[in-house]
Amino acid sequence: MIAQKKRSVKKWIHPHHQVVRHVLFPLVAFLVWLLYRFKVTRFKEENNRQYLILANHQTGFDQFYPSLAFRRPIYYVASEDIFSMGFLSKVIIWLQNPIPIKKQVTDIKAVMSCLRVAKEGGNIGIFPEGNRTFSGQTAYINPAIGGLAKKLGLPIAFFKIEGGYGVQPRWSDVRRRGKMKAYVSSVLEPEEYKSWTNEELYRYICETLYQNEANTEGTFRHKNSAQYLERVLYVCPHCGITHFESCGDTVKCTGCGRSAKYLPTKEFLGDFPFRFMLDWYNYQQNYINSLNTLELTQQPIIRDTCSLYQVSLYSKKRLLAENVQMALYGDRVELSGSFDKVLPFGAVENITILGKNKLDIYHGDMVYQVQGDKRFNALKYLNLFHRYKNLTTEVQNGSFLGL
């Protein structure tokens, strides 16, 4: 008998990744300076070692900052959306070969890929929040990061981004004039956390990455400073769940007409009893957690118009219909018009927000992506879905609403 040849395992790390990193470094450094007017502090103590790099998440450009601080390529854990853009995804994979992961779930395949990269000697970059902050405060971090870090057993470099929420909040399309910086704040050696439990390491990671920029530190100026606040705001203290509209430095409730200015100090000034975005965001979360959404099933809570796509994970997405009417109830989402579908929350595995306001709904074997106009608020769908799950599963009366 002729012995069968062993199938060679394709390497995750390729020599050209280092070349790409060096070739693109000057361009990326220039773009960071051009867009945000700051330089990333180089990590001089890198010493050609391998690291697990954990960073907080504030701007849409965050993935480039650690790459400017470290000399060696970084293999980032990235959401599946960037792998569903056809040819562009193939280019990204060739340039950097990021590690795909499903957002806000424990993805065993992603864990195994991280272990592969670690075994091959690569740096791994993770934004443990999995989401950019909407409020200025570090978002929820999945406890699974503690177990993953323990499995990898690498030195952990904590990378801090400061001022990013002031310069470009997740809900905004404009960059403001203001100070920002990014740097390695500390390194935790494997010998230091070797005897810790997963929970102890998780708590340490949360405490070290925590950042709260809901304060008056620094000024961040732009004539359209309030533009698209309606992407995050959907609860008015006078009207309840409603729509907002923004223009220039002002945001207005379409229900009662009350308004407020968003100041360069990140403060609100006007008709609402909130000083900072975090105050309003927490009020909004508490409001949803006070609702019994199981009773809100007869009439839509709110309606939107959107475009609907079908996503083939790690491949591509295709347009299903435009001008779809979407109605949000306490236990489901109903789509009608050019596409008819009822998505009961009981049959939905997960809902996630991508970018500023795209919504992915995991329903059975299908992933639907909802894209509204620039003013579309995806957050309310995520929050109402998680409120339903908290009321109907073993985490009944839990307060976590998805971000």
Side-chain angles (χ1 to χ4, degrees):
M1 291 179 63
I2 299 174
Q4 289 185 344
K5 290 183 178 179
K6 281 188 176 181
R7 288 179 60 188
S8 59
V9 178
K10 188 177 180 182
K11 291 283 188 180
W12 199 284
I13 297 174
H14 296 274
H16 76 264
H17 295 154
Q18 184 73 54
V19 176
V20 168
R21 190 263 170 208
H22 287 316
V23 170
L24 293 183
F25 179 88
L27 175 62
V28 174
F30 174 71
L31 284 175
V32 168
W33 177 84
L34 184 68
L35 294 174
Y36 297 103
R37 289 296 192 272
F38 84 106
K39 292 183 178 180
V40 177
T41 301
R42 295 291 294 273
F43 181 41
K44 296 179 181 178
E45 293 76 34
E46 184 178 358
N47 297 325
N48 204 35
R49 291 206 298 164
Q50 180 185 9
Y51 291 91
L52 168 62
I53 302 159
L54 302 182
N56 63 314
H57 206 358
Q58 294 189 339
T59 80
F61 224 60
D62 286 352
Q63 67 273 20
F64 294 102
Y65 306 149
S67 295
L68 296 178
F70 287 79
R71 296 181 185 89
R72 298 175 61 194
I74 300 171
Y75 297 87
Y76 291 98
V77 174
S79 67
E80 68 270 16
D81 193 51
I82 72 165
F83 299 90
S84 306
M85 299 185 295
F87 177 74
L88 181 57
S89 295
K90 293 180 180 179
V91 173
I92 293 172
I93 291 169
W94 186 86
L95 289 173
Q96 195 181 45
N97 206 9
I99 301 166
I101 190 172
K102 291 183 180 179
K103 291 187 73 171
Q104 298 301 326
V105 297
T106 301
D107 190 336
I108 301 300
K109 188 175 180 180
V111 172
M112 299 306 294
S113 297
C114 286
L115 291 171
R116 263 185 70 185
V117 173
K119 187 176 181 179
E120 293 180 26
N123 285 335
I124 298 170
I126 301 178
F127 295 92
E129 296 162 86
N131 278 284
R132 291 167 57 189
T133 173
F134 273 112
S135 68
Q137 179 178 250
T138 301
Y140 169 80
I141 294 177
N142 192 317
I145 189 63
L148 175 59
K150 286 274 285 185
K151 280 187 175 70
L152 294 172
L154 298 175
I156 303 174
F158 291 96
F159 193 84
K160 292 297 288 288
I161 301 168
E162 298 178 1
Y165 181 78
V167 170
Q168 189 174 25
R170 183 176 184 177
W171 43 264
S172 176
D173 282 353
V174 301
R175 294 178 296 277
R176 302 109 199 282
R177 297 192 306 274
K179 291 184 178 180
M180 168 178 185
K181 59 182 178 180
Y183 60 98
V184 174
S185 63
S186 63
V187 174
L188 182 66
E189 299 291 346
E191 295 78 16
E192 296 180 79
Y193 67 79
K194 185 177 180 180
S195 62
W196 297 2
T197 65
N198 293 352
E199 293 73 21
E200 288 171 333
L201 182 53
Y202 167 69
R203 287 196 297 270
Y204 185 89
I205 291 169
C206 291
E207 291 168 3
T208 306
L209 289 181
Y210 181 76
Q211 187 82 5
N212 185 357
E213 298 196 359
N215 53 49
T216 56
E217 184 177 343
T219 55
F220 303 88
R221 300 182 184 280
H222 195 282
K223 64 180 181 180
N224 294 322
S225 60
Q227 190 176 57
Y228 302 134
L229 266 166
E230 56 267 50
R231 290 171 175 168
V232 61
L233 299 178
Y234 65 88
V235 177
C236 171
H238 308 286
C239 304
I241 297 176
T242 185
H243 286 108
F244 287 83
E245 287 184 355
S246 62
C247 183
D249 64 352
T250 302
V251 62
K252 181 178 73 172
C253 171
T254 60
C256 62
R258 292 177 172 88
S259 65
K261 290 184 179 295
Y262 188 73
L263 305 178
T265 55
K266 298 175 289 184
E267 294 174 282
F268 286 106
L269 179 64
D271 300 327
F272 304 105
F274 311 111
R275 185 180 180 189
F276 297 107
M277 172 57 74
L278 182 59
D279 302 325
W280 201 330
Y281 188 87
N282 286 340
Y283 171 85
Q284 196 162 263
Q285 299 280 291
N286 291 335
Y287 179 89
I288 297 303
N289 275 321
S290 71
L291 297 177
N292 182 356
T293 55
L294 304 181
E295 297 177 350
L296 304 177
T297 61
Q298 300 304 309
Q299 299 294 327
I301 297 170
I302 205 160
R303 296 179 183 271
D304 288 289
T305 302
C306 65
S307 295
L308 190 69
Y309 295 79
Q310 178 187 341
V311 179
S312 299
L313 292 179
Y314 315 126
S315 177
K316 60 184 178 180
K317 58 186 175 186
R318 67 181 182 91
L319 180 66
L320 293 177
E322 295 180 319
N323 298 317
V324 175
Q325 302 304 306
M326 186 161 63
L328 174 62
Y329 295 81
D331 64 345
R332 67 193 185 277
V333 169
E334 289 190 2
L335 305 170
S336 61
S338 54
F339 186 92
D340 293 321
K341 186 76 174 179
V342 177
L343 301 174
F345 287 159
V348 170
E349 178 188 358
N350 200 15
I351 291 181
T352 62
I353 297 177
L354 302 170
K356 299 178 176 69
N357 62 345
K358 289 187 293 186
L359 194 71
D360 272 9
I361 303 176
Y362 296 77
H363 180 254
D365 296 330
M366 299 286 289
V367 180
Y368 297 102
Q369 185 168 108
V370 176
Q371 296 185 22
D373 63 14
K374 283 183 172 290
R375 299 182 184 276
F376 174 65
N377 184 301
L379 185 61
K380 58 180 177 284
Y381 292 88
L382 177 77
N383 290 165
L384 267 294
F385 166 74
H386 277 274
R387 178 57 178 159
Y388 172 87
K389 288 295 188 181
N390 290 343
L391 289 171
T392 58
T393 64
E394 65 274 8
V395 292
Q396 186 171 358
N397 296 323
S399 60
F400 176 61
L401 295 179
L403 280 177

